[in-house]
Amino acid sequence: APMSRAFSTGHYPLGTDLRMAVVADADDVARLLSDLGYPCEIDEAIERIAVIAHNDRQALVVARRDGAVVGLIALDFMYYLPLGTTTCRVTALVVTPTAQGLGIGRALLKEAERRARVGGAARIELTSGAQRTEAHAFYRACGYKDSSVRFVKLLGA
């Protein structure tokens, strides 16, 4: 029936669902951020999830496979002065190593792009560490183009 198709999650890999992160996901979020190379304690993850939940310019979506959280994507909607439009920035994307290659990262990016459009963003962007060559190949395969060189300066105390 067409109605059931409207509610099906056709573009997600089998057994996978996506939803907004909640505080109860803190242990999984901490683990995934650590997988990404950003060590994070559970209490820190609780605080970060709460900050995002209370900010309508931010979103944190988790991917679950057979009930277990296996990935996340974080979004930041920002006004971009040079174009006079909203840009959606992916600030984190990670899939747990054992669940990689199943299409979960691609499903998370697709969901980010859908949310970006709904949120009125004219474009979506992300940065990826210079050493992450596999990630770069993945982003290119998903239709992302190499853009700018990023410069960072840490602000000490």
Side-chain angles (χ1 to χ4, degrees):
M3 197 57 174
S4 63
R5 266 209 305 283
F7 294 101
S8 75
T9 53
H11 60 279
Y12 302 157
L14 202 63
T16 305
D17 66 277
L18 307 186
R19 62 162 171 75
M20 292 292 281
V22 294
V23 168
D25 295 316
D27 53 342
D28 293 310
V29 169
R31 174 176 51 81
L32 286 162
L33 287 174
S34 299
D35 282 351
L36 193 56
Y38 297 93
C40 179
E41 300 296 327
I42 290 178
D43 56 343
E44 293 172 318
I46 289 170
E47 187 183 346
R48 294 175 197 185
I49 292 166
V51 166
I52 288 173
H54 290 98
N55 182 343
D56 62 4
R57 309 296 284 169
Q58 304 267 331
L60 179 58
V61 175
V62 293
R64 294 188 307 167
R65 183 172 171 78
D66 302 325
V69 174
V70 293
L72 66 75
I73 195 162
L75 306 177
D76 175 28
F77 288 81
M78 59 182 205
Y79 180 72
Y80 187 70
L81 176 68
L83 296 176
T85 56
T86 298
T87 285
C88 179
R89 191 169 151 73
V90 176
T91 62
L93 171 58
V94 58
V95 174
T96 202
T98 52
Q100 286 174 11
L102 301 173
I104 292 164
R106 199 173 279 267
L108 283 165
L109 265 187
K110 276 262 176 294
E111 175 66 7
E113 290 162 18
R114 186 190 70 77
R115 286 173 177 270
R117 283 193 191 92
V118 169
R123 57 182 212 160
I124 189 164
E125 65 174 42
L126 54 87
T127 55
S128 179
Q131 75 287 358
R132 295 183 194 267
T133 50
E134 277 182 41
H136 302 171
F138 166 72
Y139 293 130
R140 288 185 193 107
C142 290
Y144 289 70
K145 305 229 177 329
D146 296 51
S147 167
S148 50
V149 178
R150 184 174 183 217
F151 299 91
V152 176
K153 182 177 187 178
L154 295 181
L155 301 175

